[in-house]
């Protein structure tokens, strides 16, 4: 007859089973660790092979591009991660590439160095400069607010203007285009079309940008009138209250090292609201009259 199991024996068997299960778990964990290591090792080797193959193809393409067997960093070059994935270049990488390359005009290099907002625009120049752009400002023409148009928008920023590129010298046409687009709703008026008109009518100044007469006289071509406004805060606000927009020419200061056009589109208790065709950041700020007045050189109230 089988003897009944004592509590001590039962506890002993439980401990034995527990130790066995623990050993089994350890063995399974070790096998999984080895398997994971082998998989990662295989992936790494595959990535290395792909990276070498891609580097060879890039080198062949670069040698073909330069014509002399030398390497030219192209606009599509990327850095490569540990698993062979293309990493997006940082703004610092792009700026360094711009500064080191001969593909960029000096004006664009200067633009990228002075205004970090323009780095992507400048970096894309070799690839985009000869592409025909479709410009459709239908949505901008429908808005209830003055649309912010940027002179370095890729849709028009690479076109020649005033001895340079519109993205660098085109603040005059871009500000006038904003005003005309808002006051008339004419979606065919773009910075590109205004720049073409300015050059044909003699309002561009080679190497400098646009003359003041593009604003004071050239606006009539679009059915817009310009009236000089005294440099007085109350007079400026009064014109804005009448529904006018105010185009300002400013000298060296917060907006430029030389000369620049900006547009005052309104005001509130925090200051004046502007559209700066060279900076989204400046356009989001509020500006006091004191800040603007020390840089103002002339002002025109624009109306139709």
């Amino acid at each position: 007859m089988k003897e009944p199991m004592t509590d001590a024996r039962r506890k002993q068997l439980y401990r034995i089973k527990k130790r066995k299960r623990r050993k089994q778990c350890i063995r399974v964990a070790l096998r999984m660790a080895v398997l994971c290591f082998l998989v990662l090792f295989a992936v790494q080797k595959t990535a290395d092979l792909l990276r070498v193959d891609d580097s060879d193809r890039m080198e062949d393409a670069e040698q073909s591009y330069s014509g002399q067997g030398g390497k030219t960093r192209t606009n599509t070059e990327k850095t490569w991660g540990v698993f062979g994935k293309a990493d997006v270049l940082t703004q610092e990488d792009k700026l360094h590439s711009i500064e080191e390359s001969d593909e960029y005009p000096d004006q664009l290099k200067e633009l990228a160095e002075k205004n970090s907002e323009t780095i992507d625009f400048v970096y894309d120049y070799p690839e985009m400069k000869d592409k025909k752009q479709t410009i459709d400002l239908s949505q901008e023409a429908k808005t209830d607010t003055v649309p912010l148009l940027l002179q370095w928008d890729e849709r028009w920023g690479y076109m020649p203007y005033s001895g340079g590129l519109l993205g660098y010298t085109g603040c005059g046409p871009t500000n006038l285009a904003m005003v005309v687009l808002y006051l008339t709703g004419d979606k065919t008026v773009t910075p590109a079309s205004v720049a073409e008109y300015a050059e044909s009518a003699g309002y561009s100044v080679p190497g400098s940008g646009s003359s003041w007469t593009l604003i004071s006289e050239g606006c009539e071509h679009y059915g817009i009138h310009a009236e000089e406004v005294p440099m007085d805060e109350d007079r400026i606000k009064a014109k804005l209250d009448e529904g006018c927009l105010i185009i300002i020419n400013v000298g060296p200061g917060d907006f430029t090292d030389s000369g620049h056009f900006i547009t005052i589109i309104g005001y509130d208790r925090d200051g004046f609201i502007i559209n700066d065709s060279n900076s989204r950041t400046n356009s989001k700020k509020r500006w006091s009259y004191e800040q603007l007045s020390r840089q103002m050189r002339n002002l025109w109230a624009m109306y139709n």
Side-chain angles (χ1 to χ4, degrees):
M1 183 175 177
K2 190 175 181 180
E3 295 182 1
M5 186 179 295
T6 64
D7 289 342
R9 178 59 177 167
R10 190 178 292 109
K11 290 179 180 179
Q12 183 183 23
L13 291 174
Y14 174 76
R15 286 194 295 271
I16 291 172
K17 290 180 180 179
K18 189 175 181 180
R19 283 196 295 271
K20 286 182 178 180
R21 284 197 299 269
R22 187 183 298 116
K23 289 179 180 179
Q24 288 175 344
C25 290
I26 292 172
R27 284 196 294 270
V28 170
L30 287 173
R31 291 192 189 104
M32 291 298 295
V34 171
L35 181 61
C36 289
F37 174 79
L38 292 174
V39 170
L40 287 173
F41 181 78
V43 170
Q44 180 65 60
K45 285 297 182 182
T46 302
D48 289 341
L49 291 173
L50 289 173
R51 186 162 62 245
V52 169
D53 180 65
D54 191 83
S55 296
D56 290 341
R57 284 188 280 109
M58 285 186 66
E59 183 172 350
D60 291 341
E62 288 170 339
Q63 289 176 347
S64 174
Y65 178 82
S66 66
Q68 299 295 328
K71 292 187 178 181
T72 301
R73 183 169 185 172
T74 67
N75 192 46
T76 56
E77 184 176 349
K78 295 180 174 65
T79 56
W80 291 87
V82 66
F83 294 118
K85 294 181 179 179
D87 296 328
V88 177
L89 291 175
T90 65
Q91 295 299 89
E92 290 77 11
D93 292 333
K94 290 180 180 180
L95 181 58
H96 179 73
S97 178
I98 291 167
E99 292 170 338
E100 295 298 315
S101 174
D102 294 330
E103 295 182 274
Y104 300 93
D106 290 340
Q107 279 188 343
L108 289 187
K109 289 185 177 184
E110 182 181 349
L111 182 64
E113 290 166 356
K114 288 183 177 180
N115 184 356
S116 61
E117 295 179 50
T118 68
I119 289 176
D120 287 332
F121 164 77
V122 175
Y123 186 77
D124 290 341
Y125 170 78
E127 180 182 348
M128 301 295 294
K129 63 184 177 71
D130 295 322
K131 289 188 177 181
K132 184 175 178 59
Q133 298 290 333
T134 299
I135 303 175
D136 182 2
L137 298 183
S138 300
Q139 294 303 314
E140 289 85 347
K142 294 177 183 177
T143 60
D144 295 330
T145 57
V146 183
L148 173 61
L149 303 181
L150 297 168
Q151 59 201 64
W152 38 265
D153 189 306
E154 291 191 352
R155 290 174 291 179
W156 49 72
Y158 303 121
M159 70 174 285
Y161 178 68
S162 189
L165 296 175
L166 185 61
Y168 185 83
T169 59
C171 59
T174 306
N175 278 271
L176 185 53
M178 281 190 278
V179 168
V180 175
L181 185 63
Y182 175 73
L183 293 178
T184 70
D186 186 350
K187 64 183 180 182
T188 66
V189 179
T190 70
S193 67
V194 176
E196 290 173 352
Y197 166 69
E199 290 210 315
S200 66
Y203 292 123
S204 67
V205 181
S208 299
S210 309
S211 69
W212 290 7
T213 51
L214 172 63
I215 307 302
S216 61
E217 299 174 5
C219 62
E220 297 285 345
H221 178 73
Y222 301 99
I224 302 297
H225 309 293
E227 175 188 332
E228 284 198 25
V229 181
M231 294 185 188
D232 177 83
E233 182 174 7
D234 291 335
R235 296 288 293 275
I236 294 172
K237 288 181 176 179
K239 286 298 179 183
L240 291 169
D241 290 339
E242 292 174 11
C244 299
L245 301 177
I246 310 289
I247 292 183
I248 306 177
N249 184 270
V250 294
D254 295 306
F255 306 99
T256 180
D257 294 332
S258 52
H260 185 53
F261 290 104
I262 62 174
T263 301
I264 300 179
I265 63 174
Y267 67 93
D268 57 24
R269 64 181 183 180
D270 295 320
F272 286 102
I273 306 166
I274 70 165
N275 273 6
D276 180 358
S277 62
N278 194 41
S279 174
R280 290 191 183 94
T281 301
N282 286 343
S283 302
K284 293 177 181 178
K285 296 178 181 178
R286 294 295 185 268
W287 298 82
S288 69
Y289 176 75
E290 289 71 24
Q291 286 176 301
L292 295 176
S293 62
R294 60 174 176 256
Q295 304 169 69
M296 291 178 184
R297 299 197 296 194
N298 213 336
L299 304 87
W300 299 268
M302 314 297 291
Y303 60 96
N304 58 351

